[in-house]
Amino acid sequence: MGFLFSGFYVMFFQDRRWWRFLAVGGACFLTNLLVLYVGTELAGLHYLVSMLISIVIANTLGWALNRQWTFASTSTAWFAEYTRYLAVNLSSFLASLGLMALLVSGAGVHYLLASAGIAVVLTAFNFIAHRGWSFAGNDQPGSRS
């Protein structure tokens, strides 16, 4: 069990990309809320239209920041990275919906507790997927500290 915990500790907490990934996620969350508010309240758009716009902007911002700052990608195949990035985020979204239904309706977990738990698990999944697939080949020396 100690081996499992130490592997988890090294994988996340000693890798500065993990902390950068969390910072980018926070920035994207705030961007999503801001665009949703501006689109709905100030521009007068239907909230679902604003939400669609905010998702596109926040995901594109997240890809750009993670590409440049978190994973330091130098790949010229940026469109392939962007497509993989969106595929991971879409799969995470679908998993979130399924897990939410399972935990809330199936297991009787309070929806806020279920959402928080899912967010923690899927954040770790997203980091691993983006590091190993979306931005594959960018595990450069010195990226861990």
Side-chain angles (χ1 to χ4, degrees):
M1 186 68 152
F3 175 75
L4 180 64
F5 179 74
S6 80
F8 178 81
Y9 179 81
V10 168
M11 180 183 295
F12 293 102
F13 298 109
Q14 286 189 334
D15 189 339
R16 94 176 112 196
R17 294 172 301 177
W18 168 249
W19 299 106
R20 289 179 178 184
F21 186 78
L22 292 177
V24 168
C28 290
F29 175 73
L30 293 175
T31 299
N32 185 56
L33 289 179
L34 179 64
V35 172
L36 179 62
Y37 174 79
V38 168
T40 304
E41 297 297 325
L42 303 180
L45 299 173
H46 189 276
Y47 72 93
L48 291 177
V49 173
S50 296
M51 187 66 182
L52 177 62
I53 293 168
S54 71
I55 287 170
V56 170
I57 290 172
N59 273 280
T60 301
L61 176 66
W63 167 76
L65 290 174
N66 279 314
R67 182 177 204 276
Q68 183 69 33
W69 187 51
T70 306
F71 298 106
S73 176
T74 56
S75 172
T76 57
W78 65 268
F79 188 75
E81 280 182 351
Y82 184 62
T83 303
R84 289 190 303 262
Y85 185 87
L86 293 178
V88 168
N89 288 354
L90 178 60
S91 68
S92 183
F93 171 72
L94 295 175
S96 181
L97 287 177
L99 288 169
M100 191 72 157
L102 180 70
L103 290 173
V104 175
S105 298
V109 176
H110 190 275
Y111 72 95
L112 291 177
L113 182 60
S115 181
I118 291 167
V120 168
V121 170
L122 289 182
T123 298
F125 164 80
N126 286 342
F127 175 73
I128 292 167
H130 288 314
R131 184 185 65 190
W133 187 53
S134 300
F135 301 103
N138 293 301
D139 203 12
Q140 302 166 349
S143 60
R144 294 177 190 236
S145 60

